[in-house]
Amino acid sequence: MTAALAVEVTSETTARVSGSGTTDVELAAGNEKALFHAIEEFAKTEAADSGESVEVSVSGFGATTRLTVTPEGHVAVSGPPPAPVAVPTPTVDEPVSVRATAVNPQRPPAPAQDRRSDTPHAHHTDAGQRPTTSVLAAPQINSGSNEPARIGIRGRLNAVLNLQMAPKAGSAELRHRAAVAAITGPIPDFSVITLANPKGGVGKTPLAAGLAAVIAEHRGAGTLVCADLAEIGGSLADRVAVPPHQEQDVSALLTAAATAGGSIRPSTLSRYLVRQPSGEDIIAGSQTNTAAALGYDDGTSLANVLAQHREILIADTGNSSLAGSWQWAAAAANVLVVPVPLRRDAAAAAHRMLLDIIATAGPDVLARAVVVITDGPGDAPMVETEAVDAFIELGVRAVLRMPFEPLFASGERIAANQLRRNTTDALTVLAATVIALIADAPD
């Protein structure tokens, strides 16, 4: 006769076993993985002692799974798979940007307003209140999805035991889902994301390429173009995974558009764009020494052409803030992303640049500016606190953090699938922040 055990998972670290002798047996472990291992080992012992297979019913986290354990110690899932579990949406506070010296623990949760209150966004502050900064970790937001966990301990247990456990509230998986939901949300018809810092070698191009790859991965192929708007051609063509051919550049596209009267077919546009593995298109800066420097009107014309067929332009700027193309990219930006390595000269250049932009466009530009502190060889960590404080005092509302990425620093071509996991996670949250700023912009 086949023995039967009923196991009730009473918490993430405890379970009660019925059907073994006359009394229930309490199992305990240090974590979820160890607990399920203990359940399996208990069932294996029962099967070996009885010399018969043991049918085990494991219930908990809103699901029931049936296992068959043989005297030889083999474990197999039996019976139909459990039904999906509805995941309640717990009440959470407003996501708080984290930096030990700047967080205000007394700040009450923000009231729910609209659908965008459930998406990650740059941390806005009331007039006169000191803004906080954030690390580049996914926002503390719970997803309403009832999909089972796919990663982490719960994801592994779901795969092995055919369970349907939802991700733990506040887990990295739920935060990642919330960030992806923000990236895929609706935005205006056409938007410009500009990466700018007049100091060379600060990582504008790698960050532009990485950001473009992450947005395209989630919004879909063919939704955005990353363009090299350096006045004489920058390094974008040398850093992307699939390089452009000769004349696949901004100048050639603008010439074709002018010939066509400013409106070109999608098939014509595709001749000048280079599709990357993640689905983003890139267009190089001037590829010949005889091409004229890009000017302000060239930026306007490029945006007019791309707006006919794309949602987003990511502008990778050069190092001269006096160039017409640079000034157009700064003025047209729906979101301004400012990479700042932990070097005093780079931080100072970025700070001066923002002061100059404020003098021209007014302080409202800071509401759509994102400073990204990056790590790199030769950086001085002691600069970070001083630099971040300077940007906060200036009025920047989002100061994010990007981990060191060897592929960015190497000068080699950047394939998104070769980036470190923490880099991809950081880029995902940066993308979510940028898209949310676009979506939240006043009409």
Side-chain angles (χ1 to χ4, degrees):
M1 180 177 179
T2 302
L5 295 177
V7 181
E8 179 186 1
V9 178
T10 53
S11 74
E12 294 179 352
T13 57
T14 59
R16 180 182 300 110
V17 183
S18 304
S20 176
T22 58
T23 60
D24 293 348
V25 176
E26 299 288 340
L27 299 179
N31 53 50
E32 291 174 333
K33 183 177 181 181
L35 178 63
F36 278 91
H37 180 72
I39 293 171
E40 285 190 1
E41 291 303 312
F42 185 90
K44 290 178 181 178
T45 300
E46 289 290 309
D49 290 346
S50 66
E52 299 176 342
S53 296
V54 175
E55 296 294 334
V56 185
S57 174
V58 182
S59 60
F61 300 108
T64 299
T65 296
R66 292 174 175 82
L67 309 175
T68 299
V69 183
T70 68
E72 295 76 25
H74 299 299
V75 181
V77 178
S78 59
V85 183
V87 182
T89 304
T91 302
V92 293
D93 291 346
E94 178 189 12
V96 177
S97 300
V98 178
R99 192 167 85 90
T101 59
V103 172
N104 179 2
Q106 303 301 320
R107 186 177 183 182
Q113 295 178 350
D114 56 23
R115 63 166 183 84
R116 292 178 296 210
S117 64
D118 288 332
T119 59
H121 54 80
H123 191 72
H124 294 271
T125 58
D126 297 329
Q129 182 178 359
R130 182 181 176 86
T132 61
T133 65
S134 74
V135 294
L136 265 181
Q140 302 288 331
I141 300 174
N142 285 297
S143 170
S145 171
N146 62 358
E147 295 181 4
R150 299 188 182 92
I151 62 174
I153 292 176
R154 293 193 178 198
R156 292 193 292 272
L157 292 174
N158 284 344
V160 172
L161 299 179
N162 203 24
L163 299 175
Q164 295 285 317
M165 290 188 292
K168 184 183 296 185
S171 66
E173 184 170 6
L174 272 186
R175 299 197 306 267
H176 177 78
R177 291 183 187 182
V180 171
I183 296 171
T184 57
I187 61 173
D189 290 340
F190 186 73
S191 303
V192 178
I193 302 169
T194 296
L195 283 91
N197 185 330
K199 183 69 177 176
V202 299
K204 294 188 293 291
T205 297
L207 193 59
L211 181 60
V214 168
I215 294 177
E217 177 186 356
H218 297 297
R219 290 193 72 86
T223 56
L224 67 85
V225 173
C226 183
D228 184 347
L229 289 187
E231 63 278 9
I232 56 172
S235 60
L236 182 64
D238 299 320
R239 299 305 307 272
V240 294
V242 182
H245 299 298
Q246 189 73 16
E247 293 190 359
Q248 284 184 309
D249 62 24
V250 174
S251 296
L253 173 59
L254 294 179
T255 299
T259 301
S263 178
I264 62 176
R265 297 173 180 269
S267 58
T268 303
L269 176 63
S270 66
R271 299 175 194 168
Y272 300 93
L273 305 179
V274 185
R275 180 63 52 86
Q276 301 300 304
S278 298
E280 73 278 18
D281 293 316
I282 73 102
I283 184 165
S286 299
Q287 299 289 288
T288 64
N289 294 329
T290 58
L294 293 178
Y296 195 101
D297 291 342
D298 293 324
T300 302
S301 299
L302 177 65
N304 289 339
V305 171
L306 295 179
Q308 300 170 33
H309 307 287
R310 296 295 188 270
E311 293 181 338
I312 296 170
L313 166 62
I314 295 182
D316 179 24
T317 61
N319 302 329
S320 173
S321 58
L322 299 179
S325 58
W326 194 100
Q327 293 179 358
W328 176 86
N334 296 91
V335 177
L336 181 66
V337 178
V338 185
V340 180
L342 296 179
R343 300 200 315 263
R344 196 172 303 278
D345 59 344
H351 195 270
R352 288 194 298 269
M353 177 193 75
L354 288 175
L355 287 173
D356 291 341
I357 294 176
I358 291 170
T360 302
D364 289 346
V365 69
L366 298 174
R368 49 187 172 86
V370 181
V371 170
V372 181
I373 304 296
T374 64
D375 281 337
D379 287 354
M382 69 284 298
V383 174
E384 181 171 9
T385 298
E386 180 181 342
V388 170
D389 285 345
F391 289 117
I392 290 173
E393 294 294 341
L394 187 61
V396 173
R397 306 203 185 169
V399 179
L400 309 182
R401 195 71 162 79
M402 178 67 63
F404 174 69
E405 171 52 56
L407 190 57
F408 284 179
S410 69
E412 299 297 325
R413 296 196 178 278
I414 299 168
N417 61 2
Q418 296 177 3
L419 297 174
R420 288 182 172 182
R421 174 61 182 272
N422 60 348
T423 301
T424 301
D425 290 344
L427 286 169
T428 301
V429 178
L430 174 59
T433 302
V434 167
I435 296 299
L437 282 174
I438 293 173
D440 288 340
D443 294 333

